[in-house]
């Protein structure tokens, strides 16, 4: 697996791959690239993605077998949901750190925002306008 380190522009906030003790998102504001917390976050993101790959390979046989017990399928689903949550957080963090298109007057990434809730997302199955 290749490690991806997104550039951090001075003055931008980086969404970290962990939450505060009260469950709120944590952000890092830094002007330097490669500080201790940045490296720790990079390492944790890499670990989260590697864990997701491992869990996916371990849960596929359970999910592919129609005779798998309910408890095993439920456990596999719970672990996959945890890994997907981590992977989406890594993707959001890296997306926020991508530079804007060249020639844009404002090439800095947008300010971090809260994720939309499931109820406000359009359904992919709803084709009506």
């Amino acid at each position: 697996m290749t490690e991806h380190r997104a550039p951090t522009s001075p003055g931008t906030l980086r969404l970290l791959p962990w939450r505060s003790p009260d469950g709120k998102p944590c952000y890092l504001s830094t002007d330097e690239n490669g500080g201790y917390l940045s490296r720790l976050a990079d390492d944790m993101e890499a670990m989260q993605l590697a864990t997701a790959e491992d869990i996916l390979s371990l849960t596929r046989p359970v999910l592919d077998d129609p005779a798998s017990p309910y408890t095993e399928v439920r456990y596999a689903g719970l672990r996959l949901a945890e890994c997907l949550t981590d992977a989406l957080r890594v993707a959001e963090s890296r997306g926020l750190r991508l530079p804007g298109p060249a020639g844009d007057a404002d090439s800095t990434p947008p300010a971090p925002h809260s994720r939309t809730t499931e109820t406000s997302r359009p359904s992919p199955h709803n084709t009506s306008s």
Side-chain angles (χ1 to χ4, degrees):
M1 174 182 215
T2 337
E3 187 174 334
H4 170 74
R5 291 183 186 237
T8 303
S9 302
T12 61
L13 295 178
R14 176 183 179 167
L15 176 63
L16 296 172
W18 54 80
R19 292 192 170 271
S20 70
D22 57 343
K24 295 182 179 174
C26 293
Y27 294 92
L28 175 65
S29 176
T30 181
D31 287 341
E32 70 179 70
N33 217 358
Y36 175 75
L37 283 176
S38 291
R39 288 191 313 272
L40 181 64
D42 289 342
D43 292 345
M44 185 155 183
E45 286 179 352
M47 181 190 70
Q48 288 172 325
L49 295 176
T51 298
E53 286 180 11
D54 291 343
I55 296 296
L56 182 60
S57 69
L58 293 169
T59 57
R60 274 197 196 274
V62 172
L63 299 174
D64 288 341
D65 183 358
S68 291
Y70 167 79
T71 53
E72 287 184 27
V73 172
R74 179 167 164 66
Y75 183 79
L78 291 170
R79 298 300 72 85
L80 288 169
E82 289 170 358
C83 291
L84 180 58
T85 300
D86 289 344
L88 289 172
R89 186 173 191 81
V90 170
E92 180 180 7
S93 175
R94 290 179 180 181
L96 289 171
R97 291 180 280 145
L98 290 174
D104 239 2
D106 181 23
S107 64
T108 58
H113 59 282
S114 61
R115 227 179 256 143
T116 58
T117 61
E118 190 62 34
T119 56
S120 66
R121 290 185 185 153
S123 170
H125 303 293
N126 185 357
T127 57
S128 61
S129 307

